[in-house]
Each structure stands twice: as C-alpha cells, then as structure tokens.
Amino acid sequence: MEPIIIVLIILVVLVFIALIKTIQVIPQASAAIVERFGRYTRTLNAGLNIVVPFIDTIRNRIDLREQVVPFPPQPVITQDNLVVNIDTVIYYQVTDARAATYEVASYIQAIEQLTVTTLRNIIGGMDLERTLTSREEINAALRGVLDEATGKWGIRVNRVELKAIEPPTSIQDSMEKQMRADRDKRAAILQAEGVRQSEILRAEGEKQSQILRAEGEAKAAALRAEGEAQAVRTVFEAIHAGDPDQKLLSYQYLQMLPKIAEGDANKLWIVPSEIGDALKGLSGAMGNIGGLGGGSGSGSGNGGASVPAQERREKPSID
C-alpha cells in the first residue's frame, strides 16, 4: 500500500511541475525566447502563454522598454593632440527580441565599445574648441552610426547625449584665464563706453545750458538797453518840457562831478574844460541871488518896490 501512495505522490508532483512549466505568464512590455531542444522556436509576447513542458525552455526574458545606460568617462584625443574625457549616455530600446538574443552576445557591451570607437573617430577630426562647442553635431553623428550598426541587433538607439567633456587640468586653467581676461576686457569696454556716453551727455548739457544762458543774457541786455533808452528818452523829454536855462544845467553838472570821482580805482581824474563855464554861470546865478537879497532889504527899509513873483520863481534856488 505504501509504494502505491509514494507513486501517486510522485505523479502529483510531476503533474504540478508540468503545469508550472506549461503555463508561462509574460509581463507587459516584455518578451521571452522559447527554444525546443536548443533551437529557437518562437517568441512569447505579454500575457498567458502555453509551452510544452520538458521540451520547450525559456532561453531569455527581454525588457522591451526604453533603457538608459551611462558609460564611464572615455579618454579621447582631439585633432590638436589633447586628451579629453567624455561621458556618454545612451537611450536605446529592443525592437526584436530574437535578434537581440542571437545576433550579438552582449548588446550592452557591444553598444559601449561601438560608442567609444565612434567617439574617437568623430573627436579625432575636431580640435578642442570645436569639440566643446559642437555637442549637437557630435550627438547626431554618434546616433547615426550607432543606429545603423545596432539595427541588425534588433536595437534602436533613440538618443545619445554627451554628459560631460573634461579637458586636461592645464587646459582648464588656461581657458579660465582666457575667459577671465575676456570678461575683464568686456567690462573695461563697457565702462569706457559708459564714461564716453556720460561725457557726451554732459557736454551736450553744458552746451545747451550755455546757449540758454547766452540767450537769456542777450534778452536781458536787450531789455536793459531798451529800459535805459526809455529812461533817457523820458528824462530828455522831461528836460525839454521844463525848458531849463544855462544856470540850472551848470548846477546839475557840478552835482555830477562827485559821482564821477567815486570809486577806489579812480586815482586821477581830469576836470573837463566845461567846468569853467559852469562855474561862471553858477557865480552869475549867485550874484543875482545876492543882489536880489540886498534890494529886498533896502526896499523894506526905504519902502522900495519888490521883485515880481514871476521873476523870483524863474531864479534857481541854491540848497
């Protein structure tokens, strides 16, 4: 009885193992390679799949999603014999699971080595300056070569990125010094342009202010001259309207003499010849005034006739 139970248990275990091997569940965005007696038979897609147990075997399970693989820095020599380290990142996707399994032993390693050799070919034809400024060009050339080479492997290279390009330390120091010199040069140029512009604006402002000041002074001088002319005209008209005689003019002339002598700078001044005539006229006026005073006293004492009022008004008074 016991041997029969043991046999039944063995049969149940075998059936269970067979069922497990028969039913294969493949996740989404994945594929599996099935071999029968070591030979490729088919590719299992996502979902529930049935295989023949103990005859069909699963060789490889491949992820069909886009993969990102960073590669370590690779030393590359430029056209001007400078060694630069370049980090690359590859974005690829398996499109044919069968080709990725049987056409290449390790497609990751194959892509890495192909990337290194392609980079050396591309960078070898560029100098350092062009290498540092032509990332898009390098990416496009590298992607074209990789896509063409990996197509037969069932792999599509979607994108290639140069993560970093590191020149030697000495070159970095030289580049930093050059960049610093360029920045200082640009700063000096901008400062000089600013000073020049400010000087031009200041000169323009001074020019405008001088023009406005000159115009104002000219207008003020014109108004002042017009006012003085009007004053002289008014005085002249007043003098002619009053009909002055020679004695009054002589007295006014004498009053103007002290004003002519005013000022510390007047060390010597010349008496004009007309002062004699003025003094004669003034002395005559004084004599007439004295005669008028004597006649009035005698007239009061003797009862003589007085000078007419109209004649007295015409005589200039002396302060």
Side-chain angles (χ1 to χ4, degrees):
M1 190 68 181
E2 291 180 359
I4 297 175
I5 295 175
I6 295 174
V7 171
L8 290 176
I9 292 174
I10 293 174
L11 290 176
V12 170
V13 171
L14 291 175
V15 170
F16 183 74
I17 294 174
L19 289 175
I20 292 176
K21 289 184 172 292
T22 301
I23 300 174
Q24 295 291 332
V25 178
I26 306 300
Q28 182 67 33
S30 297
I33 301 299
V34 178
E35 292 181 349
R36 179 172 296 176
F37 301 116
R39 186 176 181 179
Y40 171 78
T41 56
R42 57 177 176 151
T43 300
L44 301 181
N45 296 320
L48 183 63
N49 296 273
I50 305 297
V51 296
V52 179
F54 306 109
I55 297 177
D56 295 338
T57 57
I58 303 298
R59 165 71 185 272
N60 192 13
R61 294 179 183 267
I62 298 177
D63 194 346
L64 300 180
R65 295 175 296 179
E66 186 174 6
Q67 304 293 322
V68 181
V69 179
F71 295 144
Q74 300 295 330
V76 181
I77 300 176
T78 61
Q79 189 177 11
D80 46 359
N81 296 324
L82 294 175
V83 179
V84 294
N85 294 323
I86 300 180
D87 295 348
T88 55
V89 179
I90 304 295
Y91 297 81
Y92 73 93
Q93 185 177 9
V94 177
T95 58
D96 188 352
R98 177 183 176 279
T101 303
Y102 296 105
E103 295 296 333
V104 62
S106 176
Y107 54 84
I108 297 297
Q109 186 178 2
I111 292 175
E112 180 179 0
Q113 296 302 319
L114 184 60
T115 301
V116 172
T117 55
T118 306
L119 272 177
R120 289 176 178 173
N121 292 332
I122 296 174
I123 301 300
M126 298 181 178
D127 55 6
L128 179 61
E129 184 177 359
R130 185 181 174 188
T131 301
L132 295 176
T133 57
S134 303
R135 292 198 175 193
E136 293 296 331
E137 181 181 354
I138 297 173
N139 291 339
L142 188 60
R143 179 187 173 187
V145 173
L146 289 176
D147 199 12
E148 182 180 359
T150 58
K152 62 181 180 179
W153 299 339
I155 297 173
R156 182 177 67 247
V157 177
N158 296 326
R159 193 171 181 180
V160 179
E161 291 291 340
L162 299 183
K163 187 166 60 175
I165 300 177
E166 298 179 358
T169 306
S170 60
I171 300 300
Q172 291 182 6
D173 296 338
S174 300
M175 293 173 61
E176 289 179 0
K177 291 179 181 179
Q178 182 179 1
M179 293 176 61
R180 191 180 303 112
D182 291 339
R183 286 195 296 267
D184 294 340
K185 177 182 177 181
R186 288 195 296 269
I189 292 174
L190 291 177
Q191 185 177 1
E193 288 291 337
V195 172
R196 175 175 173 272
Q197 190 67 23
S198 65
E199 292 295 335
I200 292 175
L201 293 177
R202 187 181 297 109
E204 289 290 336
E206 291 178 356
K207 176 182 176 182
Q208 293 295 330
S209 64
Q210 290 177 0
I211 292 174
L212 293 177
R213 192 181 299 111
E215 291 179 354
E217 291 177 356
K219 291 182 179 179
L223 293 176
R224 193 181 301 111
E226 185 178 356
E228 291 177 357
Q230 184 66 31
V232 171
R233 193 181 304 111
T234 302
V235 172
F236 184 76
E237 291 177 357
I239 291 174
H240 280 275
D243 193 15
D245 57 2
Q246 183 65 29
K247 299 175 182 178
L248 178 60
L249 295 177
S250 299
Y251 177 70
Q252 293 293 329
Y253 188 78
L254 290 176
Q255 284 184 336
M256 289 299 296
L257 288 178
K259 295 183 179 180
I260 296 175
E262 289 180 356
D264 297 336
N266 295 329
K267 302 299 182 181
L268 176 66
W269 58 286
I270 299 173
V271 178
S273 61
E274 288 83 357
I275 192 172
D277 297 336
L279 291 175
K280 290 179 181 180
L282 184 60
S283 62
M286 295 293 291
N288 292 335
I289 293 173
L292 289 175
S296 177
S298 62
S300 300
N302 299 325
S306 63
V307 179
Q310 183 178 2
E311 185 178 356
R312 290 199 304 269
R313 287 195 301 269
E314 292 178 354
K315 300 299 180 179
S317 61
I318 300 175
D319 295 336

